[in-house]
């Protein structure tokens, strides 16, 4: 009987961990893939002055032997409210050109400004009485690719 309870606890913990981590994975997870490109994402922290900021990073891979131009819109939800659903903000439009079989990977240097800020970490939010906004969802919409020689 004790073995059954222990197994049940392990299974429940695994299910809970999977559902929580699925929202903001810390290892590369495929978001979109077709014959031409693959878009992966993960969350990681970036140090900045007196705080750390959580970010969603993107890795975009050209899977073919010709250059590709990729574009999409980032749509984001903070605290379950869509920030840019009702109005178009050009600063959430992303465009990238990749050589044959090239991979682009965003990082803490905001290379190409592809990152999405997911949360802030640090004591300054407590001092200011600030309730941080947490990224609760994001979508990449209107994903387009154009191949060229």
């Amino acid at each position: 009987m004790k073995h059954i309870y222990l197994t049940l606890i392990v299974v429940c913990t695994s299910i809970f961990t999977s559902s929580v981590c699925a929202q903001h994975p810390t290892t590369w997870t495929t978001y979109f893939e077709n014959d031409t490109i693959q878009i992966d994402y993960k969350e990681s922290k970036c140090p900045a002055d007196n705080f750390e900021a959580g970010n969603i990073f993107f890795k975009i891979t050209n899977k073919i032997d010709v250059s590709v131009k990729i574009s999409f819109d980032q749509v984001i939800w903070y605290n379950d409210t869509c920030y840019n659903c009702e109005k178009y903000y050009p600063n959430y439009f992303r465009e990238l050109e990749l050589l044959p079989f090239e991979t682009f990977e965003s990082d803490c240097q905001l290379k190409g400004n592809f990152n999405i800020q997911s949360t802030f970490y640090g004591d300054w939010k407590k001092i200011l009485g600030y309730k941080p906004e947490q990224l609760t969802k994001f979508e990449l919409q209107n994903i387009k690719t154009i191949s060229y020689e």
Side-chain angles (χ1 to χ4, degrees):
M1 188 68 158
K2 187 176 181 182
H3 179 71
I4 293 172
Y5 286 125
L6 182 58
T7 302
L8 185 60
I9 289 170
V10 170
V11 169
C12 288
T13 303
S14 297
I15 291 170
F16 175 74
T17 304
S18 296
S19 65
V20 170
C21 292
Q23 293 176 355
H24 298 289
T26 55
T27 58
W28 291 114
T29 301
T30 300
Y31 178 86
F32 173 85
E33 183 173 15
N34 63 17
D35 292 339
T36 306
I37 63 166
Q38 179 172 328
I39 301 174
D40 299 311
Y41 72 101
K42 71 176 180 178
E43 181 176 36
S44 188
K45 295 178 184 177
C46 292
D49 295 330
N50 296 323
F51 65 92
E52 289 182 324
N55 283 276
I56 302 295
F57 296 112
F58 293 94
K59 180 168 67 171
I60 304 170
T61 303
N62 177 1
K63 298 167 44 178
I64 60 175
D65 61 357
V66 295
S67 297
V68 175
K69 186 174 190 175
I70 303 148
S71 64
F72 55 85
D73 296 301
Q74 292 177 337
V75 181
I76 54 176
W77 283 258
Y78 287 104
N79 298 339
D80 296 318
T81 301
C82 186
Y83 176 75
N84 57 339
C85 287
E86 300 297 320
K87 182 179 176 187
Y88 177 75
Y89 293 94
N91 53 322
Y92 289 98
F93 173 76
R94 302 292 182 255
E95 192 171 58
L96 178 68
E97 292 185 32
L98 294 175
L99 297 172
F101 303 109
E102 183 181 11
T103 297
F104 165 87
E105 192 172 314
S106 66
D107 58 21
C108 289
Q109 306 306 315
L110 300 176
K111 204 164 56 175
N113 198 25
F114 273 74
N115 303 347
I116 298 175
Q117 189 117 26
S118 59
T119 189
F120 290 102
Y121 303 92
D123 293 332
W124 65 273
K125 65 184 178 190
K126 294 176 190 170
I127 295 168
L128 299 175
Y130 174 72
K131 180 183 177 198
E133 293 185 331
Q134 295 271 45
L135 180 73
T136 49
K137 179 180 174 182
F138 74 91
E139 292 179 3
L140 304 182
Q141 296 182 352
N142 306 316
I143 298 172
K144 295 178 183 148
T145 60
I146 299 171
S147 304
Y148 58 94
E149 297 282 329

